[in-house]
Amino acid sequence: MPTTAIRDARRKDIITAARDLFSRKGYHGTTMPDIARAAGISTGLIYYIFPSKEEILLACCEDAVTIYRDVLERANTIANPLERFDALVRELYTLLDSTSKRLLIMYRDLSTLKRETRQRILGPIHRLDDYFVALFQEGQQAGVFSPDMPQPRILAANVLGLGHLWALQKTWHFAPTIDLETYISTQLAYFHAQLLHPPVEQA
């Protein structure tokens, strides 16, 4: 196996091990030797790949936000703005459901990073808001979405925020009475009420 491929594989092993430890023990409760043991490599090799524990935390957070980019790329093939929005919400929430451990780390430990380092994580999140605002505008221009949509940027932030709400609280807030499909369908109905033209009342 080429050296680059070996390094990439070890990097992935380190991130996976650190993500599990950070979620259970917290960032400050986890040491570099802890991560090395969990990853099955030497502590020296960790420092060769990651100069510091902070860089590992940053990699874990960056790994969490890459799912947003991948979802957007797949959804861009859908022409209809409403169908694209629904597909985005459905896939985004499903992915957040399966990657809640990554999200927990980002919420709990991101504040430990330097301000300029945090911006590397927050940037993609802000760009996701921008994407949804642009999608809302596209839908308005196409006559699909209401021209009187209230506060598009707040609505855009709600899309991701409500997905995070499910991922972080699904086990103790919603289970066992509300499952993922029920949650997604209910939130889509909420979003549609904000996005679409109100029904015309019959005389």
Side-chain angles (χ1 to χ4, degrees):
M1 183 182 294
T3 303
T4 302
I6 294 174
R7 179 185 172 89
D8 289 345
R10 292 291 180 266
R11 186 179 191 278
K12 185 176 180 181
D13 291 342
I14 292 168
I15 293 172
T16 300
R19 189 165 58 226
D20 179 64
L21 288 168
F22 290 161
S23 66
R24 290 189 291 109
K25 300 175 62 176
Y27 173 73
H28 293 292
T30 300
T31 66
M32 292 291 263
D34 290 337
I35 299 171
R37 283 191 295 272
I41 61 176
S42 68
T43 303
L45 181 56
I46 283 191
Y47 280 109
Y48 174 72
I49 298 174
F50 290 102
S52 67
K53 190 171 67 168
E54 180 183 84
E55 285 295 320
I56 299 178
L57 175 60
L58 178 60
C60 289
C61 293
E62 288 178 330
D63 189 46
V65 299
T66 57
I67 63 174
Y68 307 148
R69 184 189 64 233
D70 296 340
V71 169
L72 295 181
E73 288 177 356
R74 286 190 290 271
N76 278 335
T77 61
I78 302 173
N80 182 280
L82 180 61
E83 293 177 5
R84 193 189 320 156
F85 176 81
D86 287 1
L88 278 169
V89 170
R90 184 168 295 280
E91 186 171 0
L92 183 62
Y93 286 18
T94 301
L95 276 170
L96 287 168
D97 175 71
S98 64
T99 58
S100 54
K101 186 180 291 186
R102 303 178 187 184
L103 195 63
L104 177 64
I105 293 169
M106 191 168 70
Y107 266 93
R108 187 177 60 195
D109 297 323
L110 187 61
S111 62
T112 66
L113 298 174
K114 298 175 183 176
R115 179 180 174 82
E116 57 270 23
T117 305
R118 291 200 303 269
Q119 295 307 310
R120 290 168 58 180
I121 303 302
L122 297 176
I125 294 176
H126 293 154
R127 287 193 292 273
L128 183 63
D129 289 349
D130 293 339
Y131 179 92
F132 277 111
V133 170
L135 176 58
F136 298 159
Q137 293 170 343
E138 178 187 339
Q140 288 175 320
Q141 293 169 0
V144 177
F145 294 159
S146 170
D148 301 320
M149 185 190 312
Q151 297 296 333
R153 184 156 292 277
I154 293 177
L155 185 61
N158 280 349
V159 175
L160 185 59
L162 290 173
H164 286 183
L165 178 68
W166 168 263
L168 295 172
Q169 300 186 14
K170 59 182 179 179
T171 55
W172 61 269
H173 192 166
F174 299 111
T177 56
I178 300 175
D179 60 17
L180 177 61
E181 178 56 36
T182 301
Y183 187 83
I184 291 174
S185 299
T186 302
Q187 297 301 351
L188 282 175
Y190 158 73
F191 291 128
H192 288 180
Q194 312 301 312
L195 292 171
L196 302 179
H197 297 275
V200 177
E201 295 184 2
Q202 298 295 325

